[in-house]
């Protein structure tokens, strides 16, 4: 069974991009409207990444814990899920050890 990870991938990238933009805004002009837009955007993306990761059956406990890391946790969890999915597919097709 293949699971579509597109939504998790988008949310993970939005989470990282919004964090970078918030930190850049903080380090430069610190514009309140930018903070008011990016803060909730980052928070929603972060919560979406957590919920999406925790709902996947192929996500191990370590993968779920990795998703909790702000900013890069979603991308790291996505990488672990994709690696695990590829390993399982290789074992089913008789790929054996690599």
């Amino acid at each position: 069974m293949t699971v579509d990870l597109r939504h998790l991938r988008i949310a993970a990238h939005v989470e990282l991009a919004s964090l970078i933009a918030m930190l850049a805004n903080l380090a430069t002009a610190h514009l309140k409207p930018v903070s008011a837009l990016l803060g909730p955007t980052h928070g929603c993306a972060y919560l979406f990444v957590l919920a999406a990761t925790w709902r996947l059956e192929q996500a191990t406990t370590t993968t779920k814990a990795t998703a909790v890391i702000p900013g890069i946790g979603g991308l790291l969890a996505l990488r672990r899920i994709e690696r695990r999915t590829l390993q399982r597919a290789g074992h089913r097709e008789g790929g054996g050890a690599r």
Side-chain angles (χ1 to χ4, degrees), residues 4-15 18 40-56 64 67-69 73-75 77-78 81:
D4 186 16
L5 299 173
R6 179 180 31 178
H7 295 101
L8 177 58
R9 185 173 291 109
I10 291 169
H13 282 93
V14 168
E15 179 190 5
S18 62
T41 302
H42 173 71
C44 288
Y46 177 71
L47 291 175
F48 188 90
V49 165
L50 289 179
T53 304
W54 282 72
R55 292 188 63 186
L56 290 172
K64 292 174 183 178
V68 175
I69 302 169
L75 292 174
L78 185 62
I81 291 167

Side-chain angles (χ1 to χ4, degrees), residues 13-59:
H13 282 93
V14 168
E15 179 190 5
L16 178 60
S18 62
L19 179 63
I20 291 170
M22 280 193 315
L23 293 174
N25 181 47
L26 183 63
T28 58
H30 192 58
L31 300 171
K32 300 273 185 204
V34 174
S35 298
L37 175 67
L38 292 175
T41 302
H42 173 71
C44 288
Y46 177 71
L47 291 175
F48 188 90
V49 165
L50 289 179
T53 304
W54 282 72
R55 292 188 63 186
L56 290 172
E57 26 179 270
Q58 64 266 57

